[in-house]
Amino acid sequence: MKEKRMLENGQFSEKVALSIPEVLLKSEEFSILAHNKFWCLIQQGLCHGDPLTRKRALFLLQRSLQHAESWHYVEQKDAIFWGLPEILAPFHQLWQTYTLLLETLEEKQVHVVKPVLARLHFVIKATYVSQNGERPLLHTSWLTTLLRRIFQHDSLSVVKCGILSFLDLDFSCSPFMLHGGLKFVCCDLIHALNEPSLYARSEECATVAGIRGAEVLPSIAKKLALFFVACDSSVHLQSFETKRKFHQALFGGILQENWSTPPLVYLLQAFSAPIDASPTRVQPIWNQAIVVQLKDLLTSALRTQHVFLRGAVECILLKATSYYLDTKAVSIQQLFLLLSCFKSTESLHRGTHLWKHLVGNLRHWVDESYGGQQQVEKLCRSSISSLLNTFRDEDPKTSYDRSDVHRLSKMLLLVADAFEELDLGLLLQPVREMLSTACVRAYLPAKSIDLALELLSCLYSEAQSPCKTGQEASDEITKAFVPGDVVLLSIASIFQHTYSNIVAMISGRVTSEEFLVTDVPILGVYASCLHVICNLLPAGTLQPHVELLVNSCIRCSTVQCTSDEVSCVLQLSCTAMLASACGVIRNDPELLKPVARTLEKFVWQHLYDAELYKPSDSKRLGEWGKLVSQYIESKWTCISFVVKQSPVASAAHFSPLPTCIMDRCVDHLAAASGMALIPILNTMQSLLPSIMATPEKLFEVLACVWHSLLERWHDHTCFWSVLRACVPVIFHRCLLTEDIVDTDAKTVLEKTLRTYADNFLESGNTRTGVLNVIVQHCFNIWKENPRLVLKQKKLLIDACLFGPFSHKHMTVVSAAARYIQGLGSACSVNELMESDHDADSRVRAMAFTTVSLVPDDCAGEIFYALIQRDREMSALQERLYSNSVAHRVKHRIWQAILLLEPVLPFSTSFSETSTLDTVFSALISENQPSVRYLIEWVATRLLYSNAEHRDILWKAIAEYSDLRPGSVCSLLAIATHLCKLLSVAELKQFVERAATEILPWTMTQHFAVRVYAQVALQSVWLVAKEQQLVEFLSRHTVFEKCFDVINTAAGNRTKVVAKLFNSFWVSAFHPLKDFNLEVICQVLPRLSLVTQDEWIHPDTFLAVDRRYWLSKDGAAKLPLLSSNSATKCAEPGDWMPEKKAADEEQKLSTNPLGDVQKKIIPWKTLFPDSEDVSMKNRQKRNGGLILIASLIDRPTNLGGLCRTCEIFGASEYVLGNLKYMNDPQFKNLSVTAEKWISLREVRPPNLREYFLALRQQGYTLIGAEQTAHSHSLADYTFPDKAAVVLGNEKEGIPVELIQLLDVCVEIPQQGMIRSLNVHVSGAVLVWEYTRQRLRKTLIAA
C-alpha cells in the first residue's frame, strides 16, 4: 500500500492521485475517500493550468463519486467531503450539476458555456447552512474551486459571464465568506477584474439620452457595487475585525496587480457603494495598516495612470477615507501624512466639494479623538517651528525634503478651514517675523528663510479657488479673492507687509557667492513669490524694488567671481531672476519703462552672447545638463521679452539684425532640451514676419522648428508645451493671412504648410490631442476673417472629417471618463481639470463652428470640396457597414454640408449641375440611415428656400428610380417633410402634384418603395386635413378609404407601415425646428444608432467659443440647443435591425433546468498505458471498419472524413496521398483527428492489389455507389470486418473497381437531386456501421 503510506506521511502527489488504482477506492480497510489530502489534490487538479490534468482530475472525481455511495463515512473535523445524506437524489443532482459545469468549462465557445453558468445557483444553495445546524451538502472549498476555474478560462467572454454570475449569487446563508471566500474575492476576483475589455460598452448604451453624465455603468460595475453593498450588510462580515480584515485583504490584492485605470476606477467606485447606499451605517474600520496600504497605492500604483482617471481614483479613495478612517487607531500625524498624498491638482484642493466635506469631518475627528482645537493648534505651531529650525543647528549645505513643506501647507489650510475661530495669521507669525527681519539678521540661515518663503508661496498657491488645468488662467484670477476668505487674506497680508524685505532678500541671495548648486531649485520659489507680490500690490509700488533686483543681477552677471563654480551658479541664478523680472515688467511696462530699458540694453550687449561653460572644478555639478537647460530657458525668456516689448529696429544702435537673431535661434534650438525650447520658439514667432521677404530663410526656419518637434515627440515631460509653441511658428498668422510676392515661393509655401498639416493630421490619428492644437490656432485666425478658410480649405475639411477609429481599450477609457464627468462636483477632479476623452470631438466642433461662419461667396467652393470627398469615399467602398470608418466619415461630411446649407447658392461656377441636383445624386450611393437622414434634411431645406425649383424633386423620382429604386424612398421622405414647411397657399398646389407623383409608387413591386409611398401619401393627406384643404380632400375621398384598408389589414406590410409612422423621422422630426447643433451633432446620431464616440455634446461647442454660440445679437447662423422636445425625447425606431437585434438579445433568457449543450470528453485517452497516446491510437485495430478514400482528391472532403472516422472509431483511414494532411483546408476540417487514427497511403493505381489483400484478411469490400445491383442502406447489415470504398467527387467509383467489390450500397433519397456530397455520404455509412455495432453490443449485454 505505497499510496497509503505516502498519504499518511503527507507525500501524496498529484501524479499519484490521478493514477489511483480501483482497489483503493473500494477498500473498506483503507479508503482514500476519508482523507482531505486526496480531495484537496482533486480540487487543485480541477483548476490546474494544464487542460489534460484538469480532465484527469475530473475523471478521478467522477470515479470517486461512484464509489462514495458504498463508503461508510466517519465524522471528521475540518473535512471537505463527507458521507451521503439519507436522501440520495439531491446528492446526485448536485454532483451532476457540478461535473457538468466543469466539463462545459473546457469549451471556449461562450454560447455553450453561458447557459450552464446559470446552474451556479444550485451549487451555492448546496453550501447553505440550515437553521437546525445540519451539515450542508457541499463544502465551500468546492465552490471556490469551481469559481477559480471560471475566472481562469481562456475566453474573456466566458470570464465576464462567470463574474456576472458570481456577483448574482446569494451568499447570505452560505459560510463561503468565512471559509476562504474573502481570500478568493481579494485575490482571484480582483485579478479577474483587472481586464479593461470586461468593461467595454455595449451598443445598446448608445441609445441613452445624450446629456453629459448619462454614461451608463458597465454591467460588471453595477453588479460589483451591489455585491459590495451585500458584503457590507452580510451577517458573516458584521464583526468589526472581520470587516477590517476584509478591507485590508482587498487593498492587499489591489496592490498586487499592475492596474489599467478604468478597471481600478470601476472597482473602487463599487467598493465605495456602501457609503452611497447608507452612509450612516458605515463603520470606521481603517487602521494604521490600511493607511499604509493607501499611501502605497497613491504614491506608487497610480504613478503611471491616465491623469484624469487617476484623479478620479484619488477622489474615490478620499471620500472613502472620510467615512472609513478609524481616528482612534490612526494618529493625527499619520492622518495628515495620508492626506498629503492626495494631489492638489487632481483631488484635494481647497474650495472643492471633497475639501469641504473633509473639513467637516476633520473638525469632528479632532474634537472626538485628537484632543480638540488646542491640541491641533499646538501641533501646527510645533510643525512650523520644526520646519523653520531645520537648518539652525545643521550644516548649512544640508538639503531638505520639499514634500514636508507641501504637507505642512495642506495641514495648515485644512485646520484653518475646519476651525474658523483659529487665526492663521497668528499661526504664521514666526514666518512673518522671519521674512520681516531677513535682511537684518545676519546669522539667520539663508535656507531657513527659503523654507519660510516656500511655505508662504505654497500656502498662497493652494489657498486659491480651484482652476481647471485645461483652461487658460489669467493674472486676474490670482487677484480675485472670495468675499470673506479670511485664510487667503491672512496669507496675502504677510506678502503685503514683507514684500520689500522679500525682494531685497532675493536680490542679495541670488547675487551672493554663498548661493550654491544645491540652492538652484529655490529659484522657482523666488519667481513664484515675485509673481504673487506683483499681483497683490498696486501698480507702481514695486518699481524701486524691481529696479534693485534687476540692477543687482546685471551687476553680478558682469563681475568676475572667485571660482569657476561660483561664477556659473551666479550666472545661472541672476539670469533666472532676470527672467522672472520680465514677467513682472510685462504687467506694467509703462511704469517700469526705465527698468525695461536697462534690461533691454543688458540683453543685447551682454546676455545675447553669453554662454554657461562647464567649470573646471565641476565635481559637485553632477546634473550639469539640467543647469545648462535652465540657463538657456532663462536667457531666451529675457531675449523673447525684449523682442516682444521693443521692436529690434528701435534699438538698432546696440541690437543685432533680426536675421542674425533668427540664426542664433536656429542654432540654440538644435542644442536646447526640454522646456528651454519654449522661449526660443516664442522669439522665433516674434521675428518670423521680418524674414517673410527671404523665402529661403523662412523655409529653413520652418524645417528646423518641425525637426525640433519631431525630436521631442516621445518626451512626455515637455512635448505638449513644445507643440503649443511650435504651431504658432509653423502656422504663423502672417503665413496664413499674407501673401508672398514671389509666385514660386508662394506655391512652395502653400505646399509646405499643407505637408505639415497632413503630418499633424496623421499624428492626430495615433496621439489624442495633437490636431487640437493646430486647429485651435487656425480657428482663432479664422474667426477674425472667415474668408481665410479658402486658403486652408483642405485643413478645414480634414478637421470636419477628423476622428480616429478608437481601439476598444481607448473606448473603455473614454467611457470611464464620461462616467466620472457625470458625477459632477461630487468627484473633485471635475472641478480641477478637463478630461481629454472628447479631444477628437473638439476638433470637429471647431471645424463645424468655422463652417457656420463661412460667408456666402465662399460656401460653394467648400460645398463641392466636401462633395468630392463624399464621392471618393463612395468609390472606395460601395457598401457601408454600420459604424465603420467609411460610414462615420460620410456622416461627418453631410453634417458639415448641413451646417453650410443656410449660405449655399443654388448654382455655382464650380459645377455644371445645381446644388440640389448634386445633393440628390448622393442618394444613389448605398448609405446608412444616419447619412441618408442628413442628405434628406439638406435637400428638404434647399427645396424650401428655392420654391421655383421644386419640380426638380419630381424629375429626380423618375430619373433615380432606374438607377437605384431605394433612393425613391428618400425622395418620398423629402416630399413628406416639405409638406410640413409650406404655407397654405403653397401647399394647395404642392399636395396635388405630390398625390399625382406618389400614387403610382404605392402599387410598385418593390416592397420598401411601396410601403414608403403609402406612408408618404398618408402623410400628405394628414397635412392637407390639418390645413383644411377641402377642395383636395373632397376630390380624393377614395384615398381615405384606401388608408383605412391598409391600416386595418392583417399582415407584415401593415405592421411595417405602423412602425414607420411611429418612427421619429416621420412623427417627431421637423426640418426647421430641429435645425440646431444639438440635434445635428448629438440627437440625430443617437436616434440613428451612430456610435456614441461620434456624438458632440453642446458643451463642447461652448468650450470652443462660448461667446459666439451664446451671443444675443444673432451672430450664430443656427441655435445651439433644441427647443423641439419631441425629437430630443424620441427613441430609435424598432424597425432598425440593430435595435431589434439588441432587444431580442435582451429578451433571451435561459432556463436553468433546461437541457444544454455538452461536448463528449474521451476519457479513455486520458489514462493511457503507454506514454505516446497518438502512436498507440494510430496503430491499426484488428477488425472493425476501414474507410477507403483513395479516389477523393479534395482536401476539405478528406479532412471532414478523417474527423468522422476518428469520432466513430474506425480502425483505419486510407488516403490516396498522405501529403493531403499538410494542406491547411484538410487541417481546418480534421481538427487534429489525424493524430488519433491509423492512416494508410494507397494510391489509386494500387487499389486492385490492396482490395485483394483485404479480401484475404476476411474483409468485405463495400462500395458507396448507385449501381444496377446496389442494396439500399436501410436494408443492408454490415459485417464486423467491413472496408467501405468511396468514389471520386465527380466520377464516383470506376467500373473496373466496382467489379472487384463484394457489394454496393446506396443511401435512400426522397428529393430531386441525385447524390450527396462524398463527405456526407461517407459520414452516413460510417454512422450506420457504428449504429449497428452498438445495437449488437446492447442486445448481447
Side-chain angles (χ1 to χ4, degrees), residues 1118-1170:
L1118 73 164
L1120 176 67
L1121 301 176
S1122 173
S1123 59
N1124 186 4
S1125 58
T1127 304
K1128 289 176 63 175
C1129 299
E1131 291 294 330
D1134 58 2
W1135 50 273
M1136 287 188 170
E1138 296 89 345
K1139 179 68 165 52
K1140 185 175 181 180
D1143 292 342
E1144 291 297 326
E1145 185 175 355
Q1146 287 182 347
K1147 295 177 182 179
L1148 182 64
S1149 60
T1150 302
N1151 181 9
L1153 297 176
D1155 203 359
V1156 293
Q1157 293 185 24
K1158 177 183 175 182
K1159 303 300 182 182
I1160 298 173
I1161 296 181
W1163 298 108
K1164 294 181 180 180
T1165 63
L1166 302 182
F1167 297 91
D1169 295 331
S1170 62

Side-chain angles (χ1 to χ4, degrees), residues 1163-1229:
W1163 298 108
K1164 294 181 180 180
T1165 63
L1166 302 182
F1167 297 91
D1169 295 331
S1170 62
E1171 293 294 329
D1172 192 350
V1173 180
S1174 62
M1175 289 303 297
K1176 176 187 174 184
N1177 282 355
R1178 290 177 67 169
Q1179 295 175 358
K1180 179 182 177 181
R1181 304 173 187 138
N1182 294 325
L1185 175 68
I1186 297 177
L1187 188 68
I1188 304 173
S1190 297
L1191 297 174
I1192 302 175
D1193 54 15
R1194 292 185 181 177
T1196 52
N1197 291 331
L1198 292 171
L1201 286 169
C1202 182
R1203 183 174 180 179
T1204 302
C1205 290
E1206 198 282 328
I1207 287 176
F1208 292 118
S1211 62
E1212 191 171 59
Y1213 180 46
V1214 180
L1215 299 171
N1217 194 325
L1218 291 180
K1219 290 183 179 180
Y1220 284 120
M1221 292 193 302
N1222 300 324
D1223 190 285
Q1225 293 180 337
F1226 181 97
K1227 292 181 178 180
N1228 288 339
L1229 269 294

Side-chain angles (χ1 to χ4, degrees), residues 14 18 44-58 106 149 152 154 1166:
E14 183 178 322
L18 297 179
Q44 294 175 14
L46 291 176
C47 54
H48 196 275
D50 178 38
L52 188 58
T53 301
R54 291 198 302 267
K55 293 178 182 179
R56 290 176 176 177
L58 179 56
E106 294 303 320
R149 173 68 189 99
Q152 294 173 354
D154 295 334
L1166 302 182

Side-chain angles (χ1 to χ4, degrees), residues 286 294-295 298-299 302 311 313-321 335-349 354 358 410 462:
W286 286 3
L294 281 177
K295 288 191 292 185
L298 291 167
T299 56
L302 297 180
V313 171
E314 289 189 14
C315 292
I316 295 169
L317 289 174
L318 183 59
K319 178 182 177 182
T321 301
L335 169 61
F336 285 118
L337 188 63
L338 171 63
L339 295 179
S340 67
C341 297
F342 293 94
K343 299 179 182 62
S344 300
T345 56
E346 297 176 11
S347 55
L348 188 56
H349 193 287
L354 279 179
L358 184 62
K410 188 165 289 184
E462 295 200 2

Side-chain angles (χ1 to χ4, degrees), residues 510 523 553-554 556-557 568-582 599 602-603 606-607 610 612 630-639:
V510 299
L523 293 174
C553 291
I554 290 176
C556 182
S557 298
C568 288
V569 174
L570 286 179
Q571 187 179 359
L572 169 62
S573 62
C574 291
T575 308
M577 294 319 300
L578 287 174
S580 301
C582 291
L599 183 60
F602 168 74
V603 166
H606 178 77
L607 187 61
L612 188 67
Q630 187 172 352
Y631 173 76
I632 294 175
E633 181 181 359
S634 302
K635 169 184 173 179
W636 280 97
T637 299
C638 296
I639 296 175

